[in-house]
Amino acid sequence: MQNKNKLPSEIVLTYKIKHNYDLKNLLDGFMSTSQKAVDIIWENINWKEKQVKHRFKSKNKYKYYTTTRLIPEIPKDKDFKRELRNYLLNGWNFASHYVDGAIKVAYSTIESWKSNYLDGKRKRNKPTFKRPFVRVKNTLIKYDKENGTIRITIKARREYLILDIKNEWFFEKIKGFDIGEIILKDSEALITFKKPLNIFDKKVVIGVDSNLKSLDLFHPEEGWIRIDLSELRRIKNVYDVIIDKLKSIYKKAPKRISILLKKYYNRRKNRVEDFINKLTSQLSKLFPDAIFIFEDLDKPNMYKNSNFNRDLDRTSWREIAKKLEYKSIVFYVNPHYTSKTCPICGSKMESQEGQVVKCEKCGVFNRQFVGSFNIFKRGVKLVKKLLGGVGVLPERSDGNLKTVRFLCPWLGWRSMIYSPMNPEES
């Protein structure tokens, strides 16, 4: 969790635009050079044996065993990198800084593989590139902020690619931003814009409880806010039904079904991304001075049965948090017992019917309100630890907040009267 709670230093926005330049030779050359870099780095990895301790649960007790694993040490010394760069520059026909980009891509790819390998998600198989793209360094980019033009050097002093973004829908949003790296593809460019972030301008901590059909937020001034995710679940369910039917008849016409499966997988992905983008944009605009606190959930360890597994798969908690990280500040806290801890006295509560939880001393509460409030409190402690005092508990911390505001990303705000102390009234 410590790695996830790094203090951000800048706001990063990425937008996609189309282009009609012929970049086939550059794309193929960059992918080939990146693969050569991976091959050479891979050949020089030093594999070291290490004793690793494991545990498993048996009859409510943990048992331990050890295994020997090969741990990769990736070569990173300056002499190795210099020799690698000089080798890759032989026969290179484009600006030399693209080779630096290819080396950077190779290292980041191998580092990603190493992380997954150590987690047991990858085997000792060398990474390979299949989709051509070009990573453009800042040294190859000249950005005219006033006129909205981006000049990218293809061949030094000979060939340039010009992108005009002045008439693009996002131009007003990135005024005052500096340009970052650009990813070039066959017919489009992904452009990154960056702006320094003063985290101490953030004045509010918001706790976010992730549930199957909603996100429940606790705001110290606005109270309990529920974000309806039923439309997101409906989108996923509609396409899952179609995809399941196609899979059931796959053997009858494999080629045709494969095309249809790809089509509906892409539609599902695009509609889900569109929903999440709109939702996170709304949240960042509605609460521009907020730090959002999410639970650090681990889906694989939450599986109970096949039906629950499928329901859990249709949630997008991690995707929502990750998208929100690009637009606001997001931290993560321990999710254990957030919905079972009494918001008043801190004792453990018992589950009742539906969404009701009961504390023997303080009464009954709505589980989702309790979850969001406890996440908020843990978030306040975390933010104070990281920033030295941002975030204050509200005076009315006993749960007697009467108004719940509902946010439907496709409809907007609506409100209703609700008392967390009497959940049955809902």
Side-chain angles (χ1 to χ4, degrees), residues 118 142 165 170 174 233 295:
L118 295 177
K142 186 175 181 180
I165 64 171
F170 58 81
I174 51 90
R233 289 175 58 80
E295 297 170 284

Side-chain angles (χ1 to χ4, degrees), residues 209 339-340 351-352 354-357 365-371:
D209 183 29
S339 299
K340 294 183 178 180
S351 297
Q352 305 293 310
Q355 294 298 320
V356 178
V357 286
F365 299 87
N366 181 281
R367 181 194 300 275
Q368 293 169 350
F369 165 77
V370 170

Side-chain angles (χ1 to χ4, degrees), residues 167-217:
N167 296 321
E168 296 291 337
W169 64 272
F170 58 81
F171 184 66
E172 292 296 324
K173 292 187 176 184
I174 51 90
K175 284 188 175 180
F177 282 70
D178 296 321
I179 199 162
E181 286 191 332
I182 296 177
I183 302 295
L184 292 178
K185 296 185 178 181
D186 184 38
S187 60
E188 62 188 23
L190 299 174
I191 309 173
T192 302
F193 298 93
K194 299 180 179 181
K195 184 178 182 180
L197 172 65
N198 184 3
I199 193 170
F200 295 98
D201 288 341
K202 305 298 182 180
K203 302 174 182 177
V204 177
V205 173
I206 297 178
V208 184
D209 183 29
S210 303
N211 298 296
L212 289 177
K213 297 181 180 180
S214 68
L215 291 181
D216 290 82
L217 281 59

Side-chain angles (χ1 to χ4, degrees), residues 98-111:
Y98 285 111
V99 172
D100 298 327
I103 294 173
K104 190 174 181 180
V105 167
Y107 268 103
S108 63
T109 301
I110 292 180
E111 288 288 356

Side-chain angles (χ1 to χ4, degrees), residues 39-52:
D39 295 344
I40 295 170
I41 296 169
W42 187 267
E43 291 171 0
N44 288 274
I45 288 178
N46 182 26
W47 297 88
K48 283 193 172 183
E49 291 187 353
K50 183 179 179 181
Q51 295 293 321
V52 182

Side-chain angles (χ1 to χ4, degrees), residues 333-368:
V333 295
N334 190 331
H336 290 163
Y337 304 112
T338 53
S339 299
K340 294 183 178 180
T341 303
C342 178
I344 300 176
C345 67
S347 61
K348 186 177 180 181
M349 298 189 293
E350 297 294 331
S351 297
Q352 305 293 310
E353 293 183 4
Q355 294 298 320
V356 178
V357 286
K358 182 179 180 180
C359 173
E360 294 297 333
K361 297 179 182 179
C362 308
V364 295
F365 299 87
N366 181 281
R367 181 194 300 275
Q368 293 169 350

Side-chain angles (χ1 to χ4, degrees), residues 55-308:
R55 73 175 187 176
F56 64 95
K57 200 169 186 179
S58 176
K59 296 181 180 179
N60 296 323
K61 291 185 179 180
Y62 285 107
K63 294 186 178 181
Y64 297 87
Y65 67 96
T66 58
T67 59
T68 301
R69 290 201 66 187
L70 291 174
I71 306 301
E73 291 186 352
I74 302 170
K76 295 180 180 179
D77 59 277
K78 292 182 179 179
D79 291 336
F80 175 80
K81 289 184 177 180
R82 188 182 304 112
E83 291 180 7
L84 175 62
R85 185 178 190 273
N86 292 334
Y87 174 78
L88 295 176
L89 281 173
N90 290 329
W92 181 252
N93 297 320
F94 302 94
S96 59
H97 286 279
Y98 285 111
V99 172
D100 298 327
I103 294 173
K104 190 174 181 180
V105 167
Y107 268 103
S108 63
T109 301
I110 292 180
E111 288 288 356
S112 177
W113 165 83
K114 179 182 176 180
S115 176
N116 289 321
Y117 169 77
L118 295 177
D119 289 341
K121 299 176 182 178
R122 295 288 186 275
K123 297 182 179 180
R124 288 182 58 191
N125 297 327
K126 179 175 64 181
T128 56
F129 297 102
K130 297 179 180 179
R131 297 179 181 178
F133 70 95
V134 174
R135 189 172 188 167
V136 184
K137 291 183 65 179
N138 292 68
T139 50
L140 296 169
I141 303 169
K142 186 175 181 180
Y143 178 39
D144 186 339
K145 291 184 179 181
E146 292 186 3
N147 296 320
T149 56
I150 302 171
R151 191 186 76 176
I152 301 173
T153 301
I154 304 298
K155 295 181 180 180
R157 295 180 292 278
R158 285 187 291 164
E159 186 179 342
Y160 302 94
L161 185 156
I162 308 297
L163 300 174
D164 187 355
I165 64 171
K166 191 167 186 177
N167 296 321
E168 296 291 337
W169 64 272
F170 58 81
F171 184 66
E172 292 296 324
K173 292 187 176 184
I174 51 90
K175 284 188 175 180
F177 282 70
D178 296 321
I179 199 162
E181 286 191 332
I182 296 177
I183 302 295
L184 292 178
K185 296 185 178 181
D186 184 38
S187 60
E188 62 188 23
L190 299 174
I191 309 173
T192 302
F193 298 93
K194 299 180 179 181
K195 184 178 182 180
L197 172 65
N198 184 3
I199 193 170
F200 295 98
D201 288 341
K202 305 298 182 180
K203 302 174 182 177
V204 177
V205 173
I206 297 178
V208 184
D209 183 29
S210 303
N211 298 296
L212 289 177
K213 297 181 180 180
S214 68
L215 291 181
D216 290 82
L217 281 59
F218 182 85
H219 189 290
E221 297 174 358
E222 300 289 342
W224 181 14
I225 301 169
R226 172 166 290 178
I227 300 175
D228 187 0
L229 297 183
S230 59
E231 176 66 10
L232 178 59
R233 289 175 58 80
R234 188 195 68 81
I235 292 170
K236 290 187 173 184
N237 183 59
V238 166
Y239 285 100
D240 285 345
V241 169
I242 296 172
I243 290 169
D244 288 345
K245 286 183 179 179
L246 289 172
K247 286 181 177 179
S248 68
I249 59 173
Y250 179 80
K251 292 183 179 180
K252 295 182 179 180
K255 290 185 178 179
R256 184 183 174 192
I257 300 301
S258 295
I259 294 172
L260 290 173
L261 281 172
K262 183 178 179 180
K263 170 185 171 182
Y264 286 108
Y265 271 124
N266 286 335
R267 283 189 182 178
R268 183 186 192 271
K269 176 185 174 183
N270 291 338
R271 290 197 64 185
V272 168
E273 285 187 355
D274 180 65
F275 183 99
I276 294 174
N277 279 327
K278 289 177 179 177
L279 170 59
T280 52
S281 294
Q282 282 181 308
L283 288 175
S284 63
K285 290 176 182 177
L286 287 167
F287 309 112
D289 59 346
I291 297 174
F292 293 89
I293 310 297
F294 279 78
E295 297 170 284
D296 188 15
L297 294 170
D298 183 12
K299 280 188 183 181
N301 291 329
M302 296 172 65
Y303 293 171
K304 295 180 179 179
N305 53 55
S306 58
N307 292 329
F308 182 78

